[in-house]
Amino acid sequence: MIALILLLQDDARFFEERIRPVLVERCYECHGGAKVKGDLRLNTREGLRRVVADGALLRAVRWTDPELKMPPKEKLEAKVVEDIAAWIARGAPDPRVEKKPDEKPLWSLQPLRRAPADIDAFIEMKLREKGLRMSPPASRPALIRRLAFDLTGLPPTPEEVDAFVADGDVGKVVDRLLASPRYGERWGRHWLDAAHYGETHGYDKDKKRPHAWPYRDYVIRAFNEDRPYSRFVREQVAGDVLYPGEPEAIAALGFLAAGPWDFVGHVELPESKTDGLIARYNDRDDMLSTVMSTFQSLTVHCARCHDHKFDPIPQEDYYALQAVFAGVDRADRVMEADPKRLELEAELKALGGPSPSNGWHSGIESTSDRVKWVEVDLGREVPIDEIRLVPARPTDFRDTPGFGFPPSYRVELDGRLLAAAEDAENPKDRPVKIPGGRGRVVRVTATKLWERTKDFVFALAELEAMSGGRNVAAGAAVASLDSIEAGRWGRANLVDGHDSRAALGNAARRAELQKAVAALPPPRLVYAATSAFAGSGGFQPSKGPRPVHLLSRGDVKRPLRPAVPGALSRVPGPVFACADPSSEGQRRAALAAWLTDPANALLRRSIVNRVWHHHFGRGLVETPNDFGRMGAEPSHPELLDALAAWFQENGESVKQLHRLILLSNAWRQASDDNPAARAIDADNKLLWRMERRRLDAESFRDALLFVGGGLDLRMGGPSDEHFVFKDDHSPVYDYARFDPEASRRRSVYRFIVRSVPDPLFDALDAADPSILTPRRNTTLTALQALAALNDPFVLRQCARLAERAKDVDDMARLVWGRRPTPGESASLGAYAEKHGRSNLARVLFNSNEFVFVD
């Protein structure tokens, strides 16, 4: 048996390594696309088997039949022909999985089956089939705690618990919690998991992204405002194109840039190098994977090297999606245009571009006491009102105003002395103005040179001779003792009408405008998808969509043909239509339209399943990012479709979807065990009870702050760094030296580092920001207990609770949301008497009643 398995594996490897690449590279162009020649398709097992069976394949590749020569333009190499013959001799094994005639179509690609969205009716129907029934409702204290953590990630106050116990109106509490700004923080965190949001690049040079946080704030606002889901999707894929002028739509593009980014592969390696090109393909792979996994719940990235082995996703579709993102990169971009800044910058632009020259520069001397001169011959004697000597500020000394201006000099007109200076103050950028007279030749002589870098020079940007409001020196002949005639320096540049920065006629106004621009608040930036940014090293903006090729087995050194932007060809209903494929933005706009097309059932199934997952601890489909054949089948397919249709018909309101779910009897069930039901459905897939769930990392930390009275509810803005940072070749993030009292905002506002996770969050199974995390692992380990007992942050909150509470009973009420029983009160009091109230707080915070939500 083992030998047979190894033989089958060897056959499969032979096909994948030696036969399939040849078919893809040399045959698919004519016999594998949407239209095939000769009605022969070689990208399916059936089509390939047909030409093997009748011997046509061997005759074609051997060119033994004068009427059947394939490929027609160039015969395959002899070794390749031998491989094909050997493969046929093995029985032409083809390990590709194809849909069998009697195999059901993929459930997720079928149109929605619409039905009334009666959650309880669907759940009860499945339970009755197994002889089961739903559990009774949870107690009111358990129910309000569940509601509060589900919708806000924070516990209810004791007063809120008492009010609900007395009232019992679930709808009223749901509406209050949905209206709370804490709701967006809670559900925004879920979305950031799905988008693998982080604030460093990852990889080996894990540098900071100081402007990533506006995307996080956008997500929180979008949930709080209950933005219609299709609008939410369109903004994150093509907001800059579809909603121009809206800052929110720019911030939304942080979604495409949320994942890791290879600094070395982009900045230190150009796209012309193989490794640099691989980095660009990897970057686009991350973008399309994020979009398709999050919005469509399909593993499109599995089709990078070959057609998807299980789902109807051809390799052509994968590279069509790569082409959609071929013109964008990840970088800081301006979120909103300040009207005043736009006005000033428009005027600056109208004044003309930067100066083409620096001016005139003497030869370089080793001492300052050498005499240098330069003169301008006006061509004839003219009345001169004023002579202006304009100091230089060359581009390579841009921070050195008054470059080369001599401390001691004299100015002469036809040999007559007009002005002289000895050890004068450097004029910086201010022109030196000298009264003129009648004459022809203006000479400036430096009697003491300006110190440059341990050497000495004389330089001027421009010499002007003003006569009746006109500069008569413009374009005149220039002579000098010596001159550097190279680059931006030269004699002619002394009278070309430019200083080192701009046209002289505009210099004063330009300086005034530049000062006004500098005084404005800096523009708001977001790290997002963009095609316009300041490049660095090999990382330069594209001048349009880059060429993307379908790659043989994903190898950048084996491009087959150019990829055309598109979406998934086998998803029924939506049509990808790009108005202008040459426009980078229009490609993304077309994808956004395809995703949100009313006929795209995947989009609605995916988001409804995600919301269900976070309310029940498990989705109706257990694999939120994989609705393909290797993912889980829906436990209640009719319910999933009914909810997706209801969602689409009710304005795609996520808040209303919450309300529908939370008011159901299914969600309000108790979490108590039932041995008889467990014997039939041990995993509780049919929902005969509510799942008991452990607090996630953010809820645990935030609840400690909330109960201790130290939670800072400030929203938005730059993230709080829970570490001491040292910028280096590879940056250092040191959590051990951080003071836990320095940040008490909600955990959603912490700065998220990819390479070095926060130890407390890591122990409590927080999401890994380097990978898409549609659902978190939930583990129970000794390390978690040790962290919850001994972490410096936890200890500080224990001390806070001990200071805040009136007595031991009050401590228990704040932590558990209920009053302790007399027996519990006595035990807690005895413990506090022996070990202190801070240690009692440690016990309470580590109790199952706090750590788990019933």
Side-chain angles (χ1 to χ4, degrees):
M1 175 62 75
I2 293 175
L4 176 60
I5 291 172
L6 291 175
L7 181 61
L8 292 173
Q9 289 177 340
D10 182 60
D11 283 345
R13 188 162 50 248
F14 190 92
F15 175 80
E16 289 293 345
E17 292 180 358
R18 303 222 197 150
I19 306 303
R20 188 169 184 170
V22 176
L23 296 173
V24 171
E25 188 171 350
R26 306 295 291 275
C27 306
Y28 279 14
E29 185 172 0
C30 297
H31 300 288
K35 295 181 179 180
V36 296
K37 293 185 178 180
D39 194 28
L40 174 61
R41 184 174 291 280
L42 297 183
N43 61 345
T44 66
R45 293 180 71 191
E46 182 184 354
L48 188 56
R49 198 177 295 120
R50 198 175 81 197
V51 293
V52 168
D54 64 9
L57 180 62
L58 262 185
R59 291 199 310 276
V61 298
R62 283 174 170 167
W63 282 30
T64 54
D65 184 340
E67 296 183 0
L68 185 62
K69 294 181 177 180
M70 293 292 164
K73 295 180 180 177
E74 182 183 4
K75 186 177 181 180
L76 294 175
E77 298 84 351
K79 179 66 175 67
V80 174
V81 174
E82 289 175 15
D83 285 343
I84 293 173
W87 171 67
I88 293 173
R90 286 171 176 241
D94 187 343
R96 290 177 294 177
V97 175
E98 285 193 0
K99 179 179 175 297
K100 301 178 181 65
D102 58 345
E103 187 177 45
K104 291 190 304 182
L106 186 57
W107 67 267
S108 57
L109 298 185
Q110 305 312 304
L112 289 177
R113 292 169 292 180
R114 300 176 184 272
D118 186 334
I119 292 172
D120 294 330
F122 282 108
I123 299 297
E124 287 169 344
M125 179 179 68
K126 286 280 188 180
L127 288 171
R128 282 196 301 270
E129 290 174 1
K130 298 293 184 180
L132 300 174
R133 57 186 299 178
M134 281 197 277
S135 296
S139 69
R140 288 184 179 180
L143 200 55
I144 189 171
R145 191 167 189 265
R146 188 190 300 173
L147 277 168
F149 273 111
D150 258 25
L151 289 180
T152 69
L154 294 171
T157 65
E159 294 75 21
E160 289 169 343
V161 174
D162 291 345
F164 181 70
V165 168
D167 179 82
D169 189 336
V170 174
K172 184 193 301 183
V173 176
V174 169
D175 290 342
R176 173 174 62 80
L177 294 175
L178 287 174
S180 166
R182 312 284 80 82
Y183 159 76
E185 293 169 336
R186 171 63 167 168
W187 283 80
R189 180 61 260 172
H190 291 324
W191 187 260
L192 296 174
D193 279 8
H196 65 342
Y197 167 82
E199 294 173 78
T200 61
H201 290 326
Y203 290 89
D204 47 348
K205 287 193 179 178
D206 194 19
K207 293 183 178 294
K208 280 185 174 183
R209 293 177 181 173
H211 302 292
W213 60 266
Y215 171 67
R216 175 207 65 208
D217 286 359
Y218 156 80
V219 170
I220 292 171
R221 281 192 299 273
F223 275 102
N224 276 333
E225 294 169 6
D226 198 20
R227 197 157 301 170
Y229 186 65
S230 283
R231 166 84 185 219
F232 184 56
V233 172
R234 287 192 292 267
E235 287 175 341
Q236 293 179 86
V237 176
D240 53 343
V241 183
L242 300 175
Y243 310 104
E246 296 188 22
E248 284 281 273
I250 301 297
L253 295 175
F255 173 78
L256 296 177
W261 183 75
D262 185 356
F263 178 90
V264 173
H266 284 83
V267 175
E268 298 182 5
L269 294 171
E271 200 166 347
S272 56
K273 300 286 187 183
T274 297
D275 286 347
L277 185 59
I278 291 171
R280 273 67 174 183
Y281 271 91
N282 287 344
D283 201 50
R284 291 189 293 269
D285 176 81
D286 181 79
M287 288 186 187
L288 76 87
S289 297
T290 302
V291 169
M292 302 312 288
S293 297
T294 305
F295 297 136
Q296 299 289 275
S297 295
L298 289 177
T299 55
V300 178
H301 50 282
C302 293
R304 183 172 182 174
C305 300
H306 45 68
D307 293 348
H308 201 293
K309 289 187 178 293
F310 307 104
D311 301 336
I313 304 171
Q315 192 183 16
E316 286 88 346
D317 287 2
Y318 171 86
Y319 285 100
L321 285 163
Q322 276 245 3
V324 169
F325 301 106
V328 288
D329 291 282
R330 306 165 198 246
D332 291 334
R333 68 181 293 175
V334 176
M335 275 179 58
E336 58 186 320
D338 180 338
K340 185 63 177 175
R341 181 182 294 274
L342 287 177
E343 178 186 328
L344 294 173
E345 289 179 344
E347 188 176 349
L348 271 169
K349 186 176 180 180
L351 291 179
S355 172
S357 65
N358 284 332
W360 170 82
H361 189 310
S362 76
I364 301 170
E365 301 294 344
S366 58
T367 61
S368 64
D369 57 359
R370 301 295 297 273
V371 173
K372 300 283 184 181
W373 60 266
V374 63
E375 67 180 25
V376 176
D377 186 345
L378 305 178
R380 59 187 177 87
E381 191 177 278
V382 294
I384 300 173
D385 304 319
E386 184 179 73
I387 294 169
R388 297 176 185 170
L389 307 181
V390 180
R393 189 195 285 217
T395 53
D396 50 346
F397 282 82
R398 64 177 67 252
D399 297 324
T400 310
F403 175 92
F405 202 95
S408 300
Y409 61 89
R410 62 176 183 268
V411 180
E412 298 166 302
L413 179 61
D414 290 346
R416 302 190 309 277
L417 184 65
L418 298 180
E422 291 291 333
D423 293 321
E425 182 182 353
N426 190 287
K428 308 257 184 226
D429 287 326
R430 299 185 307 276
V432 174
K433 299 176 181 179
I434 298 161
R438 190 173 183 84
R440 172 174 172 167
V441 178
V442 180
R443 174 178 283 205
V444 183
T445 304
T447 54
K448 183 178 181 180
L449 302 180
W450 179 81
E451 185 172 3
R452 194 181 65 150
T453 50
K454 297 183 181 179
D455 53 26
F456 301 88
V457 299
F458 170 26
L460 289 174
E462 194 78 4
L463 186 151
E464 293 183 306
M466 306 305 296
S467 178
R470 188 170 66 91
N471 176 23
V472 293
V478 179
S480 62
L481 177 68
D482 52 26
S483 176
I484 289 180
E485 297 287 323
R488 294 168 59 90
W489 296 107
R491 292 187 180 92
N493 295 340
L494 183 64
V495 290
D496 66 353
H498 289 81
D499 66 8
S500 301
R501 295 168 306 290
L504 269 169
N506 304 324
R509 180 56 180 159
R510 177 176 287 275
E512 182 183 329
L513 291 170
Q514 288 171 334
K515 185 177 180 181
V517 169
L520 292 173
R524 293 173 61 201
L525 302 176
V526 60
Y527 188 81
T530 179
S531 57
F533 55 92
S536 173
F539 183 50
Q540 299 295 330
S542 171
K543 295 179 180 177
R546 297 178 176 90
V548 171
H549 289 81
L550 190 150
L551 305 177
S552 176
R553 299 195 63 76
D555 185 349
V556 297
K557 292 181 284 188
R558 298 174 66 190
L560 299 179
R561 56 184 176 275
V564 178
L568 300 182
S569 59
R570 311 293 170 83
V571 173
V575 176
F576 183 92
C578 184
D580 180 9
S582 67
S583 164
E584 181 281 316
Q586 289 301 321
R587 294 183 179 200
R588 287 185 289 113
L591 179 61
W594 183 89
L595 289 166
T596 57
D597 189 296
N600 192 338
L602 273 169
L603 185 84
R604 284 85 195 179
R605 285 188 177 115
S606 177
I607 184 59
V608 163
N609 187 64
R610 291 185 195 281
V611 173
W612 186 277
H613 164 81
H614 290 299
H615 281 309
F616 285 89
R618 174 196 289 137
L620 292 168
V621 181
E622 288 188 56
T623 50
N625 271 20
D626 188 358
F627 282 11
R629 285 199 167 86
M630 296 306 289
E633 294 238 349
S635 59
H636 298 73
E638 297 85 4
L639 173 57
L640 178 62
D641 274 15
L643 289 174
W646 179 93
F647 179 70
Q648 188 171 12
E649 292 161 2
N650 285 269
E652 296 190 340
S653 164
V654 175
K655 284 190 176 183
Q656 290 306 310
L657 180 60
H658 290 308
R659 205 172 194 283
L660 183 69
I661 292 172
L662 297 176
L663 295 182
S664 69
N665 292 328
W667 183 84
R668 289 187 286 171
Q669 293 179 92
S671 61
D672 299 338
D673 188 25
N674 179 334
R678 178 161 36 88
I680 297 171
D681 179 24
D683 289 338
N684 190 32
K685 288 187 177 181
L686 301 180
L687 292 175
W688 49 266
R689 68 175 175 90
M690 189 61 174
E691 291 288 337
R692 198 171 191 227
R693 288 174 286 158
R694 198 200 74 203
L695 292 180
D696 60 31
E698 289 84 355
S699 295
F700 178 79
R701 177 183 177 274
D702 294 353
L704 259 63
L705 284 165
F706 184 82
V707 170
L711 182 61
D712 179 353
L713 291 176
R714 283 182 301 116
M715 296 180 69
S719 299
D720 290 4
E721 298 181 358
H722 294 184
F723 49 80
V724 174
F725 176 71
K726 180 184 177 184
D727 198 4
D728 207 338
H729 180 74
S730 292
V732 176
Y733 303 93
D734 186 351
Y735 294 92
R737 293 166 55 204
F738 174 72
D739 176 8
E741 279 295 281
S743 172
R744 290 185 281 114
R745 290 207 295 164
R746 291 203 68 175
S747 301
V748 72
Y749 298 116
R750 72 184 176 97
F751 191 101
I752 299 175
V753 181
R754 295 189 198 276
S755 61
V756 188
D758 182 302
L760 178 62
F761 283 86
D762 197 34
L764 296 175
D765 301 321
D768 181 348
S770 293
I771 58 174
L772 301 170
T773 310
R775 59 178 183 177
R776 294 189 181 184
N777 292 326
T778 302
T779 60
L780 295 173
T781 67
L783 184 61
Q784 291 168 355
L786 290 170
L789 280 168
N790 302 311
D791 187 272
F793 167 79
V794 176
L795 296 179
R796 186 66 191 94
Q797 304 321 308
C798 291
R800 278 185 175 278
L801 175 61
E803 294 164 5
R804 177 191 181 193
K806 296 190 295 289
D807 52 33
V808 167
D809 283 6
D810 192 34
M811 289 177 69
R813 186 179 180 219
L814 287 167
V815 175
W816 290 341
R818 66 170 178 85
R819 292 175 176 83
T821 64
E824 289 171 335
S825 180
S827 297
L828 296 175
Y831 188 91
E833 186 71 26
K834 183 176 181 179
H835 299 288
R837 287 174 56 163
S838 286
N839 279 327
L840 175 61
R842 295 169 77 190
V843 172
L844 292 171
F845 283 142
N846 278 272
S847 64
N848 281 354
E849 195 163 348
F850 177 75
V851 174
F852 287 85
V853 177
D854 284 323

